[in-house]
């Protein structure tokens, strides 16, 4: 999915990835399995609908991403297709308010949590850049303020709820929701600096989440939120924990610093879409 140069191929592998996670979720509780599968089906339906509509809107029925970027869809089509792709990507990236609540996340098996937190969320972020912005630039620029507001709301929501959690697993889940909101802000600043910072921060957050989830699973999921995780997890947990909180010199700090620098020099009036 990450290397596909064809929209239909990208959507197909996107669907396979989501179905794999839904299949692994069968080992969880019934309520958690139903919630995960519902979100998976919604994301697949939105992505498939968007890809089908894009192919139908082109004269030759092409799905090549480079050819689609050269086309100029009418404004109304761009708006509809943009929001359809945003829904699919937001469901995959766990972006507020389309995120998965922590209860189903904690009830599904550990492999599902790792695949979702460390890999699948990045696929949703990649889709926002590769499809939503690149294929529908007019709509992306027009709706960028709304997306930044949604990202800011997710950042505040995730951080606020994480403060009230007692179990470290719930803190990690809500922290990841907050970081996804921060990534959205960087992406829809529509500048190279913010985009590169968002992509780097998304990858760094995923690695930190994977490290901390493995640590929590090793302690039976009973570690309290106030307990320092580095005491139980050794060097790997220490590095993941420090990267998660943005200690200078680690990837988490680098991605966040680039992203915040772009936010501080905010200027939508002369923003240009990033080049690939």
């Amino acid at each position: 999915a990450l290397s596909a140069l064809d929209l239909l191929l990208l959507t197909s592998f996107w669907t396979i990835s989501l179905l794999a996670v839904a299949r692994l979720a069968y080992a969880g509780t019934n309520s958690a399995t139903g919630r995960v599968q519902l979100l998976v089906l919604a994301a697949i339906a939105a992505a498939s609908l968007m890809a089908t509509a894009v192919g139908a809107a082109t004269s030759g029925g092409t799905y090549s991403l480079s050819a689609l970027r050269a086309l100029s869809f009418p404004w109304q089509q761009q708006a509809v297709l943009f929001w359809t792709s945003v829904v699919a990507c937001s469901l995959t990236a766990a972006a507020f308010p389309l995120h998965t609540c922590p209860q189903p996340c904690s009830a599904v098996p550990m492999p599902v949590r790792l695949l979702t937190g460390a890999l699948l969320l990045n696929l949703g972020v990649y889709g926002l850049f590769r499809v939503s912005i690149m294929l529908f630039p007019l709509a992306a620029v027009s709706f960028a303020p709304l997306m930044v507001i949604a990202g800011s709301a997710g950042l505040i929501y995730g951080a606020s709820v994480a403060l009230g959690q007692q179990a470290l697993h719930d803190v990690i889940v809500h922290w990841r929701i907050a970081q996804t909101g921060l990534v959205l802000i960087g992406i829809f600043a529509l500048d190279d600096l913010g985009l590169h910072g968002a992509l780097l921060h998304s990858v760094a957050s995923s690695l930190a989440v994977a490290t901390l989830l493995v640590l929590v699973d090793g302690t039976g999921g009973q570690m309290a939120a106030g307990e320092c995780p580095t005491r139980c997890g050794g060097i790997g947990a220490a590095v993941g924990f420090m990267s998660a909180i943005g200690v200078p010199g680690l990837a988490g700090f680098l991605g966040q610093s680039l992203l915040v620098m772009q936010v501080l020099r905010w200027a939508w009036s002369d923003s240009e879409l990033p080049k690939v």
Side-chain angles (χ1 to χ4, degrees):
L2 295 174
S3 60
L5 300 179
D6 183 273
L7 181 61
L8 191 60
L9 191 63
L10 188 154
T11 306
S12 299
F13 279 100
W14 182 308
T15 300
I16 293 173
S17 302
L18 290 173
L19 290 177
V21 172
R23 176 62 184 88
L24 290 173
Y26 269 118
T29 61
N30 292 334
S31 59
T33 299
R35 179 65 180 271
V36 171
Q37 290 177 345
L38 180 61
L39 292 174
V40 165
L41 291 177
I44 291 176
S48 302
L49 180 62
M50 180 271 301
T52 304
V54 168
T58 59
S59 58
T62 180
Y63 289 96
S64 172
L65 291 176
S66 59
L68 291 174
R69 284 189 60 191
L71 298 177
S72 179
F73 295 99
W75 160 246
Q76 291 185 344
Q77 283 187 350
Q78 282 206 31
V80 173
L81 294 174
F82 172 81
W83 283 113
T84 305
S85 65
V86 165
V87 169
C89 296
S90 297
L91 287 170
T92 308
F96 178 86
L98 300 179
H99 62 286
T100 306
C101 66
Q103 287 74 23
C105 287
S106 59
V108 297
M110 185 61 180
V112 180
R113 279 180 274 166
L114 281 177
L115 284 174
T116 303
L119 193 60
L120 199 64
L121 299 189
N122 283 348
L123 188 61
V125 171
Y126 174 79
L128 287 172
F129 162 64
R130 190 65 167 169
V131 178
S132 302
I133 292 180
M134 292 294 117
L135 300 188
F136 317 118
L138 294 178
V141 172
S142 299
F143 296 119
L146 293 178
M147 295 302 299
V148 170
I149 292 174
S152 302
L155 176 61
I156 296 173
Y157 165 80
S160 301
V161 177
L163 289 174
Q165 302 303 312
Q166 299 300 318
L168 185 58
H169 175 272
D170 294 334
V171 174
I172 294 172
V173 171
H174 284 100
W175 173 82
R176 190 64 175 95
I177 295 174
Q179 300 312 303
T180 301
L182 185 61
V183 168
L184 280 180
I185 297 174
I187 291 177
F188 284 94
L190 301 180
D191 185 87
D192 283 335
L193 187 64
L195 174 66
H196 292 158
L199 293 178
L200 179 59
H201 184 54
S202 181
V203 175
S205 300
S206 299
L207 294 175
V209 164
T211 303
L212 295 176
L213 283 177
V214 171
L215 170 64
V216 173
D217 186 66
T219 60
Q222 301 302 317
M223 184 180 293
E227 185 176 353
C228 181
T230 60
R231 293 193 316 172
C232 306
I235 297 178
V239 173
F241 179 73
M242 290 189 294
S243 178
I245 63 177
V247 173
L250 298 175
F253 172 79
L254 181 58
Q256 291 183 55
S257 61
L258 291 176
L259 198 158
V260 172
M261 285 172 57
Q262 171 57 31
V263 173
L264 292 178
R265 67 174 197 178
W266 205 272
W268 273 341
S269 58
D270 57 348
S271 61
E272 295 182 358
L273 291 177
K275 306 297 188 297
V276 181

